[in-house]
Amino acid sequence: QVQLVESGGGLVQTGGSLRLSCTAVGRISGGSATGWFRQGPGKDREFLAAINWSGTNTYYADSVKGRFTISRDGAKNTVYLQMNGLKPEDTAVYYCASEKSGWSRFIHLQSSYDYWGQGTQVTVSS
């Protein structure tokens, strides 16, 4: 069993930055990948970015490419999402998720993930 704990959310002004953290606790598969998703008010949950175990592969949704950067610190079992140039439409609950099957072309799908964090709120004021 793997528990994911997110942190780093908060209130920020338009154009500001935040760094979210996702720390995994428990029996972590060496081949796993981690992704970030978000769900805005009245919207479906959407994929943002994913990174593989070694950090050599990343994949981004077009909506955040160039503004958000995903990275990981293996020693800390932590994955980060650096968010720059934030906009009011980035307001959402942000979730990290982990999967144990390894990197695939379906890494952007929610159904690919086995474990989810509780979410952290990000609010961008105009």
Side-chain angles (χ1 to χ4, degrees):
Q1 187 70 19
V2 175
Q3 182 180 7
L4 302 176
V5 181
E6 298 121 331
S7 61
L11 175 64
V12 64
Q13 292 185 333
T14 296
S17 298
L18 282 175
R19 189 179 77 159
L20 305 183
S21 299
C22 172
T23 299
V25 179
R27 191 182 181 95
I28 302 164
S29 169
S32 65
T34 302
W36 283 97
F37 293 77
R38 70 184 178 190
Q39 187 165 17
K43 298 181 181 179
D44 294 331
R45 190 173 298 187
E46 65 169 326
F47 169 80
L48 300 175
I51 189 167
N52 68 341
W53 176 258
S54 63
T56 54
N57 282 340
T58 58
Y59 181 66
Y60 294 92
D62 288 341
S63 60
V64 302
K65 198 175 296 182
R67 293 194 301 130
F68 292 7
T69 302
I70 191 170
S71 62
R72 73 182 305 140
D73 183 335
K76 296 181 179 180
N77 287 333
T78 299
V79 172
Y80 303 98
L81 185 68
Q82 177 67 44
M83 306 186 295
N84 299 326
L86 286 164
K87 309 172 184 178
E89 51 264 43
D90 293 317
T91 294
V93 178
Y94 285 68
Y95 300 90
C96 68
S98 176
E99 61 82 56
K100 53 188 178 182
S101 301
W103 194 260
S104 78
R105 61 191 177 99
F106 302 114
I107 203 68
H108 62 291
L109 299 179
Q110 295 181 53
S111 57
S112 295
Y113 293 85
D114 303 290
Y115 306 105
W116 291 82
Q118 80 286 355
T120 186
Q121 176 70 45
V122 172
T123 302
V124 184
S125 63
S126 57

